[in-house]
Amino acid sequence: MLEKLKSILPFDDKQWNQYASYFKRIQVPAKKVLIQEGEISKKAFFIEKGCIRVWFNKDGKDVTFQFFFENERVSSVESFKKNIPSIVTLETIEPSTLWVIDKQDMDQIMRDGFEIPKVREKLIDTLFDRNIHYMKHCLSFIRDTPQQRYLHLLETQPQIIQRIPQHYIASYLGITTVHLSRVKSKLLKGK
Amino acid sequence: MLEKLKSILPFDDKQWNQYASYFKRIQVPAKKVLIQEGEISKKAFFIEKGCIRVWFNKDGKDVTFQFFFENERVSSVESFKKNIPSIVTLETIEPSTLWVIDKQDMDQIMRDGFEIPKVREKLIDTLFDRNIHYMKHCLSFIRDTPQQRYLHLLETQPQIIQRIPQHYIASYLGITTVHLSRVKSKLLKGK
DNA sequence: TGAATTTGATAACATATGTTATCGCTTGCC
DNA sequence: GGCAAGCGATAACATATGTTATCAAATTCA
């Protein structure tokens, strides 16, 4: 099951023997908070099964920022990297199977990884990709209407539409559940 | 004038002697397009004097995505890094003095830089910082009203309000010029 | 200097989106 | 089985924001 992790961090087998023990497999129920907003994150997660929602607080309401699924890594990046309080909460949506690693161990892996050209390339690529992803996400809020964002989601990440309760999707799109309903019904009626 | 660049890329003096010649100083007028949307970017810029606007096309209208000022580096990141067509246009707003470097040379510097722990740290930090910046920028579109975004801009980047024509600011905030006028006048009238 | 362009304010109206409330359908749980 | 909670649709109304048009001031440039 760490196969996917190996493709993300392409160390050789010898090194993986050392690192494998850093990761612990845990089972968590739905709606379990993994990292709380305001807390300094000391852990990172890799999802074997299930999904995780990243959200933040807006006047008492929770607003979804991102979803993560199988074979993805999740952490409160800025908190994890910089030892500052997290601006987001990480919470499971479904009962999930996760691999968890402590910051200390992860830092070790990162330090080692940046010494090895192949791993380094991969890590840098990942950072750039994340950058591009956030950039495009921003851009879609400036450029596209909620309806366009919904359609785009349908095309590019149908599993979100299928697996995630609609009120989470609505806040992810930056609108209310009521308006998402309207958008969907407008689309059904042939636009 | 490369002093600022040295703090961003903390090589030792010997190496800088080699790299300094990679950068060329150019003077460009206002409204000069540096990189065109759709074009594969082969250059990166460092601003000595002036400012640059990053924008993209929305149904024929231009929508501003970011502003850059003195001592900042600008490039079409994803295009520059991945050799793909740029999704944004880079254009000066004021007459500017820039330092320009070719992709090939920049790649060389990056390759060398990642071998040197001190420089590597700085580069990775920069990537994370950019990530956090985009994340927060996204977040402000989901969480805040245009008025809140305007006030936030006033607090954190007053030079944008002062130096940049209002219609660029409006599209940067994701609203029309008409609405920005409304927001400002509402704020003047004591909210 | 004077004409053309850019910039910003405002009004009137149109559309998009939020708010609150209600209803019915599902789901989980005792 | 039945109740409570969660979820999604819809309606009516309120507010925010966009669109188009007009005007005045500032700026640019020949």
Side-chain angles (χ1 to χ4, degrees):
Chain A
M1 180 36 58
L2 288 172
E3 281 315 307
K4 290 282 175 183
L5 263 174
K6 285 190 188 177
S7 74
I8 294 171
L9 297 165
F11 289 104
D12 60 30
D13 286 343
K14 190 179 162 199
Q15 263 167 311
W16 262 113
N17 289 339
Q18 178 192 348
Y19 300 142
S21 67
Y22 291 0
F23 294 88
K24 296 213 172 62
R25 191 171 187 263
I26 59 173
Q27 306 266 4
V28 293
K31 299 208 179 190
K32 168 82 177 179
V33 170
L34 302 171
I35 290 165
Q36 178 78 50
E37 182 176 341
E39 172 190 334
I40 294 175
S41 165
K42 297 292 184 196
K43 289 171 182 168
F45 304 89
F46 178 81
I47 305 177
E48 178 181 325
K49 181 86 189 69
C51 62
I52 290 176
R53 182 171 74 99
V54 174
W55 60 272
F56 57 88
N57 206 283
K58 177 193 176 179
D59 310 327
K61 293 171 195 165
D62 75 57
V63 178
T64 300
F65 184 55
Q66 269 181 299
F67 301 107
F68 292 90
F69 298 94
E70 281 79 12
N71 300 324
E72 294 187 300
R73 281 164 302 169
V74 198
S75 69
S76 178
V77 192
E78 82 293 347
S79 173
F80 191 75
K81 168 76 185 170
K82 303 214 156 199
N83 267 306
I84 54 177
S86 174
I87 52 175
V88 293
T89 295
L90 269 56
E91 182 180 329
T92 56
I93 294 182
E94 306 170 356
S96 305
T97 306
L98 311 174
W99 295 82
V100 57
I101 182 169
D102 280 335
K103 176 179 169 54
Q104 214 176 342
D105 294 336
M106 193 62 193
D107 283 348
Q108 173 75 50
I109 292 182
M110 295 289 269
R111 258 197 310 276
D112 294 354
F114 270 106
E115 295 292 343
I116 300 167
K118 195 174 158 195
V119 183
R120 178 200 302 162
E121 276 307 311
K122 190 79 190 174
L123 287 171
I124 296 173
D125 260 20
T126 305
L127 281 170
F128 270 100
D129 284 345
R130 217 194 297 261
N131 246 315
I132 294 171
H133 174 268
Y134 283 131
M135 214 176 129
K136 287 188 173 170
H137 196 48
C138 265
L139 215 136
S140 83
F141 277 98
I142 310 178
R143 183 183 51 201
D144 303 329
T145 63
Q147 174 169 327
Q148 289 172 319
R149 288 202 293 282
Y150 177 76
L151 287 171
H152 185 251
L153 209 58
L154 260 179
E155 275 175 36
T156 59
Q157 303 194 262
Q159 83 274 24
I160 288 185
I161 309 283
Q162 287 151 13
R163 287 168 69 170
I164 308 287
Q166 184 161 310
H167 59 284
Y168 294 150
I169 297 177
S171 74
Y172 176 70
L173 294 173
I175 58 179
T176 60
T177 55
V178 175
H179 195 59
L180 178 52
S181 269
R182 268 195 291 243
V183 166
K184 284 172 67 179
S185 97
K186 197 181 288 182
L187 286 170
L188 278 177
K189 286 170 194 160
K191 186 182 187 181
Chain B
M1 180 35 57
L2 288 173
E3 280 315 307
K4 290 283 175 183
L5 264 173
K6 285 190 189 178
S7 74
I8 293 171
L9 298 165
F11 289 105
D12 60 29
D13 286 344
K14 190 179 162 197
Q15 262 165 312
W16 263 114
N17 288 339
Q18 179 192 348
Y19 299 142
S21 66
Y22 291 0
F23 294 89
K24 294 211 174 64
R25 191 170 186 265
I26 58 173
Q27 306 266 3
V28 293
K31 299 207 178 193
K32 167 82 175 177
V33 170
L34 303 171
I35 291 166
Q36 179 79 46
E37 183 177 340
E39 169 191 335
I40 294 175
S41 165
K42 296 292 185 198
K43 288 172 183 170
F45 303 90
F46 177 83
I47 306 176
E48 178 181 324
K49 181 82 189 74
C51 62
I52 291 176
R53 183 171 75 99
V54 175
W55 61 272
F56 56 88
N57 206 283
K58 177 191 177 180
D59 311 327
K61 292 172 193 166
D62 75 57
V63 178
T64 300
F65 185 55
Q66 269 181 299
F67 301 107
F68 292 89
F69 297 93
E70 281 80 11
N71 300 324
E72 294 187 299
R73 280 166 300 170
V74 198
S75 70
S76 178
V77 192
E78 84 291 349
S79 173
F80 191 76
K81 168 76 186 173
K82 303 212 156 197
N83 267 306
I84 55 177
S86 174
I87 52 175
V88 292
T89 296
L90 269 57
E91 182 180 329
T92 55
I93 295 182
E94 306 170 355
S96 304
T97 306
L98 310 174
W99 294 82
V100 57
I101 181 169
D102 280 335
K103 178 180 169 52
Q104 214 175 343
D105 294 335
M106 194 61 193
D107 283 347
Q108 173 76 49
I109 291 182
M110 295 290 269
R111 258 197 311 277
D112 294 353
F114 270 106
E115 295 291 344
I116 299 167
K118 194 174 158 195
V119 183
R120 177 199 302 163
E121 277 307 311
K122 189 79 189 174
L123 287 171
I124 296 172
D125 258 21
T126 305
L127 281 169
F128 270 101
D129 283 345
R130 220 195 295 262
N131 249 316
I132 294 172
H133 174 267
Y134 282 132
M135 218 178 127
K136 288 190 173 170
H137 196 49
C138 266
L139 216 136
S140 82
F141 277 98
I142 308 177
R143 185 183 48 201
D144 303 328
T145 63
Q147 175 169 325
Q148 289 171 319
R149 289 201 294 283
Y150 177 76
L151 286 171
H152 185 251
L153 209 58
L154 259 181
E155 274 175 37
T156 59
Q157 302 194 263
Q159 83 274 22
I160 289 186
I161 310 282
Q162 288 152 11
R163 287 169 67 170
I164 309 285
Q166 185 161 311
H167 59 285
Y168 294 150
I169 296 176
S171 74
Y172 176 71
L173 293 173
I175 58 179
T176 60
T177 55
V178 176
H179 196 58
L180 179 51
S181 267
R182 267 196 290 245
V183 166
K184 284 173 67 179
S185 98
K186 197 183 286 181
L187 286 170
L188 278 178
K189 285 170 194 159
K191 188 180 185 181

